[in-house]
Amino acid sequence: MSRQDAEALLKKTHIQCQTMKIDAEKKINVEVKTSEADLAVAESKAAAMIAKAEAEADGAEALKEKRRYELEWEKLKVLESIAGSQSRKFITGEKGEAILSALVPRP
């Protein structure tokens, strides 16, 4: 093998190594960017889940207050029908005390 052949082989091998190195660096950069994008997506999804949970918690509290309000109105309607009827009613015991307490608040 002549010196020129050896130099040509050396240059060819060097070029192949450089090409392989550049290809590897490209693949690494693509993987890094893909991983960063996946991380950003995961963080966004987590933030969205937290926001949704907080909204549901806030909504649950508001709905709890609404249900309490509606229940109180239903109780008042029942008491109104009892108090407003013309016929006499005899309700005794704990139930009678509860109704009386609801109709006549004590100081």
Side-chain angles (χ1 to χ4, degrees):
M1 189 187 274
S2 72
R3 184 174 166 94
Q4 289 178 341
D5 290 338
E7 286 179 9
L9 181 59
L10 184 61
K11 284 184 181 182
K12 181 180 175 186
T13 304
H14 182 70
I15 290 170
Q16 286 175 342
C17 287
Q18 288 297 321
T19 303
M20 289 171 59
K21 181 181 172 186
I22 291 169
D23 287 344
E25 288 174 349
K26 279 194 239 178
K27 287 180 183 178
I28 289 170
N29 288 334
V30 167
E31 288 298 320
V32 167
K33 293 297 180 185
T34 301
S35 296
E36 289 172 351
D38 290 344
L39 177 62
V41 167
E43 288 173 343
S44 295
K45 285 182 179 180
M49 290 172 70
I50 290 170
K52 182 179 178 184
E54 288 173 349
E56 287 176 354
D58 292 344
E61 192 61 36
L63 286 176
K64 178 181 168 184
E65 185 62 28
K66 180 183 177 203
R67 283 189 214 104
R68 188 191 66 73
Y69 177 80
E70 289 173 349
L71 180 62
E72 190 63 32
W73 271 108
E74 290 302 317
K75 285 181 185 178
L76 289 173
K77 286 179 186 176
V78 169
L79 291 174
E80 180 183 38
S81 70
I82 291 172
S85 73
Q86 297 297 323
S87 63
R88 290 186 174 187
K89 305 230 182 321
F90 293 100
I91 304 171
T92 61
E94 290 179 20
K95 298 282 185 188
E97 284 294 320
I99 291 173
L100 192 55
S101 295
L103 290 173
V104 182
R106 295 181 185 175

